[in-house]
Amino acid sequence: MCGIYAHLRKSKPLPPQFLHHRGPDNHGMVAFPDAVLAHTRLAIVGDATESQPFLAGDNEALTINGEIYNHALLRQEAAPYPFHTRSDCEVVLPLLRDGGIANIARLDGVFAFVYAKDNRFIVARDAIGVVPLYFCVLPEGDVLVASERKAITGKDRSVQIFPPGHAFDGKRWTRWYRAPLAPFRASTPDKDVLRALLVSAIKKRTMADVEYGVLLSGGLDSTIVATVASSLSKTRLKSFSIGLKGSPDLDHARRVAKAIGTDHHEVHFTLEEGLAALPHVVRSIETVDVTTIRASTPMWLLAQYIRKHTDVKMVLSGEGADEALCGYLYFHESPTPEAAALESAAKVEALHRFDCQRANKSMMAHGIECRVPFLDLDVLNYVMRLPGAAKAPIRGIEKHLLRRAFEGVIDDGVCWRQKEQFSDGVGYGWIDAMKALADAYPVQPTQNLFQEAPVSKEQAMIMHMFEKALPFECSTVPCDNWTPSWQKNKDPSGRASNVHEKSV
């Protein structure tokens, strides 16, 4: 992962202080008469001295943030194109030169990029929105594009989320990928197929020329990723977990790490440290969604630890499984399996605003890349076509197909452990402390910055922190709210579900 910035049609330099955390290894910028492209690099594949934007000719360039897993094959097909780096991302340049937007679907990976040639450009984002991207169209027609909202500052700039699976050439939008976000019943439930697809997805994401590790919460999804990644690695992997002392996740993560033989790092944080980090987390994640900030805070603190105490620059994580496979506890309340499948589709479609944003920005705030194998397109294209009955909870157990796929492969106690949301699993006192702080918080949001009113005291507190932390002048921000369907208590904590069984 890296940071990108582009000003198309006019020359304007990048404010580097806003994106340096995304690419501490190197940076570069190129200015054409009609465009400025800039890049901050976190070197994962290739030489750390190599920089972007990638150039071809006098007036053609590409700046890209992402990972292209099939780059070796695409390089062969692009011969005799003269590649200048070993980066997996450089292959996008000849692909766009030869086929334009039509060739984007050939990329197996996650990405956000700007390609400029002469007076034309293409901006595009990966299918699910694993990699963040924002844009703004100025009154005079100029287009600003950046990896984070905070890099597009100034008056009269209405910053918007660039939609996943889309491309834009300045004149028209093209939806280059349309996910199977409805239960078409085209896939047959098969635990062996699911296991094979996930193993392949995890293997792809071990592509790196630097040391990498795994985030291990001790839940089902992260345990699958850690177990498979450890079995594929030729060296002893580092694993990382975080929580308040005595939290549910720490004990389970410790047990899994011992079973698979990782070099395990157990990080403890205090309530005071978590609350003190909140303004920094809000600035990093750029959202006012309550559940995202709750979960991002311990993840942000864990990334800080990884950066300070290890050489790990990339981690694998388990995001996306609960959305795609009906894993949240509120799915137990679904009136029908079909309703569960439709809700799953809606949650996958919204991932770029919630869990993808949390995973990417929490880690990249400290220069750590986070890869998410459950959001591999081969995996998603299979599980999103499963009938609702194959994904809805069965006999009180969520993600039954996934558990059966890895039964006997992962620790048995974790394999059948009830879902525990990350912000709960780090210790129940964490959410309680955030609520208590919000109850006593003395200041309400004051600017006319948000599109809606806060839904709770907790969100009002986060909104005020957002106003103080981010340099906006005249832009409105959507008030995203991740909410569970069907259950009466709309608090996003998993403990709000009436099927939740207390773990401590």
Side-chain angles (χ1 to χ4, degrees):
M1 294 290 177
C2 306
I4 65 171
Y5 175 92
H7 190 141
L8 305 164
R9 304 300 184 199
K10 271 190 175 182
S11 295
K12 185 174 180 67
L14 166 73
Q17 69 272 20
F18 289 140
L19 292 177
H20 178 73
H21 55 276
R22 297 189 66 86
D25 294 332
N26 211 329
H27 66 274
M29 183 170 68
V30 61
F32 296 148
D34 296 302
V36 172
L37 276 65
H39 186 268
T40 60
R41 182 167 186 236
L42 176 66
I44 304 297
V45 177
D47 192 328
T49 64
E50 298 170 347
S51 65
Q52 290 192 40
F54 301 115
L55 302 176
D58 295 331
N59 203 23
E60 184 178 10
L62 169 77
T63 181
I64 177 170
N65 170 14
E67 311 128 26
I68 309 302
Y69 302 121
N70 62 339
H71 72 101
L73 174 62
L74 295 175
R75 275 176 177 260
Q76 292 176 4
E77 295 177 357
Y81 181 84
F83 289 99
H84 300 290
T85 73
R86 293 194 302 113
S87 170
D88 53 299
C89 290
E90 188 181 3
V91 73
V92 176
L93 203 157
L95 203 68
L96 294 173
R97 169 190 276 185
D98 293 343
I101 291 173
N103 265 345
I104 296 176
R106 299 188 62 208
L107 298 172
D108 181 6
V110 296
F111 49 82
F113 66 72
V114 179
Y115 169 75
K117 182 179 181 182
D118 300 323
N119 62 347
R120 298 178 292 111
F121 65 86
I122 298 172
V123 184
R125 190 178 183 191
D126 70 74
I128 303 300
V130 172
V131 178
L133 190 63
Y134 297 85
F135 77 104
C136 172
V137 180
L138 299 180
E140 60 268 30
D142 289 16
V143 180
L144 296 171
V145 183
S147 295
E148 294 185 6
R149 184 186 289 271
K150 65 178 70 69
I152 307 176
T153 62
K155 294 184 177 180
D156 302 318
R157 294 185 178 178
S158 180
V159 183
Q160 302 175 62
I161 296 173
F162 195 96
H166 284 72
F168 178 58
D169 65 4
K171 296 180 180 179
R172 65 183 64 86
W173 289 87
T174 301
R175 186 165 186 171
W176 65 265
Y177 177 81
R178 188 177 296 274
L181 297 180
F184 296 134
R185 294 171 174 78
S187 297
T188 302
D190 189 319
K191 62 183 178 63
D192 296 328
V193 170
L194 179 57
R195 182 173 63 248
L197 288 171
L198 277 168
V199 169
S200 175
I202 294 166
K203 186 175 182 179
K204 285 181 198 177
R205 284 157 180 79
T206 61
M207 176 188 76
D209 293 327
V210 298
E211 185 178 9
Y212 62 90
V214 290
L215 301 184
L216 180 57
S217 71
L220 174 67
D221 311 326
S222 68
T223 295
I224 289 171
V225 173
T227 300
V228 174
S230 181
S231 70
L232 294 171
S233 179
K234 296 179 181 178
T235 60
R236 190 184 182 199
L237 286 184
K238 288 184 172 67
S239 58
F240 302 93
S241 64
I242 187 168
L244 303 171
K245 285 188 177 181
S247 69
D249 279 356
L250 291 180
D251 289 341
H252 287 90
R254 194 182 309 123
R255 172 176 168 176
V256 171
K258 182 178 180 180
I260 64 178
T262 57
D263 176 9
H264 190 54
H265 294 243
E266 182 174 302
V267 180
H268 299 140
F269 77 102
T270 65
L271 295 176
E272 292 74 19
E273 288 170 337
L275 296 176
L278 275 175
H280 306 289
V281 174
V282 172
R283 176 177 170 81
S284 295
I285 312 303
E286 303 181 312
T287 184
V288 296
D289 174 56
V290 170
T291 193
T292 300
I293 297 302
R294 286 176 178 178
S296 294
T297 303
M299 199 169 187
W300 189 94
L301 290 169
L302 183 58
Q304 184 180 64
Y305 170 90
I306 295 171
R307 171 54 92 183
K308 286 184 177 180
H309 298 284
T310 77
D311 294 324
V312 168
K313 296 177 70 176
M314 182 270 282
V315 292
L316 303 179
S317 189
E319 275 74 19
D322 292 310
E323 288 78 5
L325 288 160
C326 303
Y328 291 110
L329 294 185
Y330 74 83
F331 278 97
H332 289 267
E333 307 293 329
S334 172
T336 65
E338 291 75 17
L342 289 171
E343 170 70 4
S344 167
K347 281 294 190 277
V348 169
E349 197 165 30
L351 267 167
H352 69 283
R353 302 192 342 257
F354 299 108
D355 279 26
C356 286
Q357 186 166 218
R358 168 178 58 81
N360 181 280
K361 292 182 181 178
S362 294
M363 287 286 134
M364 288 300 291
H366 301 285
I368 308 290
E369 180 176 292
C370 185
R371 297 183 179 177
V372 285
F374 277 99
L375 296 181
D376 182 270
L377 286 190
D378 289 339
V379 174
L380 281 179
N381 287 337
Y382 175 73
V383 300
M384 297 312 296
R385 288 189 171 98
L386 289 171
K391 298 204 299 181
I394 299 174
R395 295 186 295 277
I397 299 174
E398 64 280 348
K399 291 186 289 192
H400 202 275
L401 180 65
L402 180 62
R403 296 175 192 274
R404 287 175 47 229
F406 286 90
E407 189 174 21
V409 177
I410 66 172
D411 179 87
D412 191 60
V414 171
C415 187
W416 298 101
R417 179 190 175 194
Q418 186 185 68
K419 166 67 184 175
E420 189 79 272
Q421 287 178 209
F422 181 59
S423 52
D424 293 315
V426 297
Y428 297 158
W430 167 235
I431 291 178
D432 296 341
M434 277 195 65
K435 289 181 176 180
L437 180 65
D439 285 339
Y441 199 74
V443 185
Q444 295 295 307
T446 56
Q447 298 181 20
N448 186 23
L449 184 65
F450 303 100
Q451 294 177 4
E452 299 94 18
V455 298
S456 65
K457 290 182 179 179
E458 204 172 347
Q459 188 169 58
M461 175 182 71
I462 292 169
M463 284 179 171
H464 183 259
M465 291 178 178
F466 190 104
E467 289 176 341
K468 299 291 286 184
L470 289 154
F472 296 128
E473 296 178 62
C474 295
S475 181
T476 56
V477 178
C479 295
D480 285 326
N481 285 294
W482 189 98
T483 55
S485 297
W486 306 304
Q487 73 182 35
K488 294 179 180 179
N489 186 343
K490 293 303 180 182
D491 188 284
S493 167
R495 287 187 290 156
S497 170
N498 61 14
V499 303
H500 181 268
E501 295 176 6
K502 193 172 183 180
S503 298
V504 289

